[in-house]
Amino acid sequence: MHSKKLKIGILLDGDHVSPINADLIDKLYASKDIDLKYFLILKYNNWDFDTKNSIFKRISWIIKNKKIFIYFTKFIAAKIHSIESRIFFGKPLKDVSIDKYNYSEKLEITTSISKSGLVNSFASSEIEKIESLGLDLLIRCGEKILRGEVLTICPFGVISFHHGDNDFYRGSPSTFYETYYKEPYTSFIIQKLSCELDNGDVFVKGDIKTSKFHSISARNLHLKGNLSMLNFLEQLSNTRKLPDILDKAPYSSRLYKMPSLKIIFFYSLRSIKNLSKIAIKKITGFITGDKKSAIGFIVNNDWKKISLWKASIITPKAGIKLSNPSPFKFNDSNYCMVNSYEKIKDENQIRLYQLFDKSSKNLGKILIGGINHKNPFIFEANNHLHALIMNDKERSIEIYICNSFPSDWSYVCTPQSEVTSESCYLFQSSDKSYWIISSTQDSFGNKLLNLYKSNVLDRNGWLNCSQLRSEFMESGAINAGYIDDKTLHYRLANFQIHENENKLNLYKIDCLEPAYKEFPTNIALHPKFREDITHINSFSYRSGISVFDFEYK
């Protein structure tokens, strides 16, 4: 652990930053591990197109360089993005002057820019000026391509985002084509820039679920990327070592450019259609109602050999949604604890079902903690039943012990507080350490995968062992069940194929010591075992009991 802060500088194209970059700067200022020393403002000594020039000079430059069509297309695309943003986020925030940030020095760096207006190069005098600052690394927050010695003058180089999956989407505009082609997820990477465009060393990859609207996808991806960058820099500050480089593959897709007017037109039509659907759904929601939910179960089985269509079904009353079933055995009987949500009352309850070969018995409401507690995970430790459960009101993950089955439970500890968790599972490693795998959600709605560890069960504030490689991948961060197969453990993750179809991908948990590792398998569960099914939300297995919850029309 290093006590010295990581000294960084941010490369900017001007003296104002976008609200997204302002969010990143605010995060860096709030970190105890990072010292944001300088804003390096790039000034061009050979480019007559400057945003400070009059509108007439800018138009003259566009005409002179034969870029009328490109900038007209950019103008139309920007207007559509602006309209979408106003609909979903209200009045847009203005760019922020860096004069607001008094704790960092501002330094102008003169550069030469290529005729295309895309590539920056630096004179040796400017390189020496940057080198004299003694920075650990630079972060590029501009749009221009960097070339030359500037990439190597800092010990950790120049770190940058690429907002897009670098294996499939390179070019611009970021996140647009993923939305247009209805990709299920949209990715970002954090990389160390190299002299070759789009071929830097990639250290972190994350993703979000793609929205139907480009403005939502872009905002969510940028905000999640900022959070990932903060974690990356804090880890670097503590270790003083860059993470391992992620594997690369030959890029076999095209280089994307500004979409044509035809593509923009069809995207606009689709956006109008989607907005209309949202409006109709809001108007008719109380008439059409929600999808129905149910729990399926099969007892005394090997999970690899079952057929889901043979499962017995627990169907709730109208207006109640059952979810996140947790199977367990007690006194040689089969049980399942289920979260029960009643929409009219906006109330969560925990219900217990006893499971038989072809039927079930509703044992009623079980109070664990209180009315704000939900999604219990039942496990056995020290010859007692325990419940790992989420407290919505206190934003915490808590553990309770069963004193007298089934209704007497008492509080044990709070492994994690100040966290909005959606589902948690607990495992024990070979050295008897306890691990919690939790799907969490930040204030912007981003889905994250967090790992917490403790050598003893009954302690508060477990160690956060979240990892950059898995934490920010929403495509694998939404817990959707667990499989406890004697010595083997698996985790299922909800993967959204598109709006009306999902699947559950199976990950094998290979090692919990010294670090958590999981590997994808070629196994996935699809919601196709009934004609009326729309989604399968979770699948869990333990002690010969398979349970799953699903939605149907």
Side-chain angles (χ1 to χ4, degrees):
M1 184 71 70
H2 292 256
S3 58
K4 190 178 179 181
K5 290 185 176 183
L6 190 72
K7 294 190 293 183
I8 68 173
I10 293 184
L11 292 167
L12 300 171
D13 287 339
D15 55 9
H16 283 69
V17 294
S18 68
I20 293 295
N21 283 337
D23 172 75
L24 174 61
I25 292 169
D26 291 339
K27 283 180 167 60
L28 299 180
Y29 270 132
S31 174
K32 67 181 188 305
D33 298 315
I34 296 168
D35 184 7
L36 177 50
K37 299 285 289 184
Y38 290 93
F39 292 110
L40 305 181
I41 306 167
L42 304 184
K43 298 293 182 181
Y44 311 115
N45 61 8
N46 65 331
W47 201 30
D48 53 358
F49 180 63
D50 194 316
T51 54
K52 291 183 178 179
N53 288 337
S54 69
I55 185 66
F56 300 106
K57 286 186 178 181
R58 280 183 274 171
I59 292 174
S60 175
W61 184 91
I62 291 171
I63 295 173
K64 178 182 176 182
N65 290 274
K66 301 178 182 179
K67 295 182 181 289
I68 296 175
F69 181 77
I70 293 175
Y71 276 87
F72 177 73
T73 306
K74 282 186 176 181
F75 174 79
I76 297 298
K79 284 298 179 185
I80 293 172
H81 183 88
S82 176
I83 292 170
E84 276 189 10
S85 298
R86 283 180 177 273
I87 291 172
F88 295 111
F89 310 122
K91 186 177 179 181
L93 299 174
K94 294 181 179 180
D95 287 351
V96 178
S97 171
I98 59 171
D99 292 334
K100 167 189 173 182
Y101 305 105
N102 299 319
Y103 298 105
S104 302
E105 296 186 44
K106 290 82 177 175
L107 183 65
E108 287 192 0
I109 302 296
T110 303
T111 72
S112 298
I113 197 162
S114 64
K115 187 176 180 181
S116 66
L118 298 176
V119 181
N120 274 328
S121 58
F122 298 76
S124 57
S125 60
E126 302 304 301
I127 293 294
E128 292 173 1
K129 188 188 297 186
I130 299 173
E131 194 171 15
S132 68
L133 303 178
L135 300 173
D136 292 313
L137 63 81
L138 295 169
I139 298 176
R140 186 192 69 165
C141 280
E143 297 179 351
K144 302 297 184 288
I145 299 168
L146 304 180
R147 289 281 192 268
E149 291 181 69
V150 71
L151 299 173
T152 57
I153 54 176
C154 295
F156 299 117
V158 180
I159 304 298
S160 176
F161 289 110
H162 173 78
H163 293 104
D165 189 330
N166 61 315
D167 292 328
F168 301 100
Y169 288 96
R170 297 182 183 179
S172 64
S174 66
T175 74
F176 175 81
Y177 285 101
E178 291 94 328
T179 306
Y180 183 75
Y181 291 123
K182 300 181 181 179
E183 295 285 359
Y185 294 91
T186 301
S187 302
F188 69 87
I189 62 169
I190 294 175
Q191 61 181 335
K192 179 182 176 182
L193 295 180
S194 69
C195 58
E196 188 176 345
L197 181 63
D198 288 329
N199 199 30
D201 294 335
V202 178
F203 301 116
V204 180
K205 192 170 187 177
D207 62 25
I208 62 163
K209 189 165 71 172
T210 306
S211 169
K212 297 177 182 179
F213 302 96
H214 174 229
S215 61
I216 296 178
S217 292
R219 176 182 180 272
N220 290 347
L221 190 74
H222 283 76
L223 290 173
K224 190 170 189 177
N226 288 350
L227 183 61
S228 180
M229 177 68 83
L230 174 66
N231 284 23
F232 168 78
L233 294 174
E234 288 182 336
Q235 176 179 296
L236 181 58
S237 177
N238 290 324
T239 63
R240 296 287 158 166
K241 181 182 177 182
L242 289 168
D244 294 337
I245 300 170
L246 296 181
D247 292 336
K248 292 182 180 178
Y251 183 67
S252 57
S253 187
R254 64 186 174 95
L255 183 65
Y256 288 88
K257 298 181 180 180
M258 182 59 60
S260 65
L261 289 176
K262 178 181 177 181
I263 289 177
I264 293 174
F265 173 74
F266 282 115
Y267 170 77
S268 301
L269 288 182
R270 197 171 75 196
S271 295
I272 293 171
K273 178 182 176 182
N274 289 331
L275 285 169
S276 301
K277 285 183 176 179
I278 292 172
I280 293 171
K281 187 175 181 179
K282 285 186 176 181
I283 294 170
T284 62
F286 293 104
I287 300 173
T288 59
D290 294 327
K291 295 174 183 176
K292 301 173 184 177
S293 68
I295 302 292
F297 66 91
I298 303 174
V299 298
N300 302 321
N301 69 89
D302 179 348
W303 69 275
K304 294 179 180 178
K305 298 179 181 180
I306 64 173
S307 298
L308 297 190
W309 62 268
K310 294 182 179 179
S312 301
I313 304 299
I314 301 172
T315 305
K317 295 179 180 179
I320 294 178
K321 180 179 180 180
L322 299 181
S323 62
N324 291 293
S326 179
F328 63 96
K329 274 188 181 291
F330 184 77
N331 289 341
D332 293 325
S333 295
N334 301 317
Y335 296 93
C336 178
M337 202 83 80
V338 178
N339 194 71
S340 174
Y341 174 71
E342 189 170 356
K343 184 175 181 179
I344 295 177
K345 294 181 179 180
D346 190 23
E347 179 180 274
N348 275 301
Q349 294 181 353
I350 298 169
R351 292 193 170 272
L352 179 66
Y353 290 86
Q354 186 171 3
L355 308 179
F356 304 99
D357 284 343
K358 297 295 182 181
S359 62
S360 63
K361 182 179 180 181
N362 186 350
L363 300 181
K365 177 181 175 182
I366 304 296
L367 189 65
I368 304 178
I371 60 173
N372 300 302
H373 293 65
K374 66 178 186 179
N375 297 342
F377 172 83
I378 308 301
F379 65 98
E380 187 173 326
N382 304 321
N383 298 317
H384 285 85
L385 283 182
H386 291 73
L388 181 71
I389 196 166
M390 281 128 277
N391 185 336
D392 260 2
K393 184 178 180 181
E394 300 297 329
R395 296 183 59 242
S396 61
I397 301 171
E398 300 172 357
I399 292 177
Y400 286 76
I401 188 171
C402 183
N403 302 308
S404 177
F405 187 79
S407 56
D408 184 8
W409 299 76
S410 60
Y411 170 81
V412 175
C413 63
T414 301
Q416 203 64 212
S417 57
E418 296 300 317
V419 60
T420 302
S421 180
E422 297 183 337
S423 59
C424 294
Y425 311 128
L426 185 145
F427 297 96
Q428 221 175 348
S429 57
S430 57
D431 70 344
K432 304 303 180 181
S433 296
Y434 294 96
W435 289 78
I436 292 174
I437 305 173
S438 174
S439 290
T440 61
Q441 179 174 296
D442 67 13
S443 57
F444 299 107
N446 293 314
K447 312 291 185 182
L448 308 171
L449 186 66
N450 292 114
L451 308 167
Y452 309 110
K453 175 190 174 185
S454 176
N455 293 325
V456 294
L457 187 68
D458 56 346
R459 60 164 286 189
N460 296 326
W462 290 21
L463 180 66
N464 190 335
C465 298
S466 302
Q467 299 170 320
L468 291 171
R469 296 303 163 87
S470 57
E471 182 180 1
F472 295 97
M473 296 294 290
E474 182 164 335
S475 53
I478 303 177
N479 280 335
Y482 62 92
I483 293 175
D484 183 355
D485 191 359
K486 298 179 181 178
T487 59
L488 300 177
H489 297 286
Y490 300 85
R491 182 180 71 90
L492 290 98
N494 193 330
F495 185 94
Q496 195 72 26
I497 299 172
H498 54 72
E499 182 185 8
N500 296 315
E501 184 179 355
N502 78 321
K503 64 178 180 177
L504 304 185
N505 288 330
L506 189 70
Y507 293 83
K508 181 182 178 182
I509 299 174
D510 185 68
C511 177
L512 291 175
E513 282 294 336
Y516 176 86
K517 295 179 183 178
E518 66 178 20
F519 299 94
T521 69
N522 59 0
I523 299 174
L525 300 182
H526 294 264
K528 297 181 179 180
F529 50 89
R530 283 174 40 159
E531 289 185 0
D532 58 350
I533 192 170
T534 58
H535 286 79
I536 179 169
N537 296 319
S538 75
F539 176 93
S540 294
Y541 172 85
R542 176 188 284 164
S543 303
I545 312 167
S546 295
V547 294
F548 55 94
D549 69 285
F550 61 95
E551 297 176 11
Y552 61 99
K553 298 176 183 177

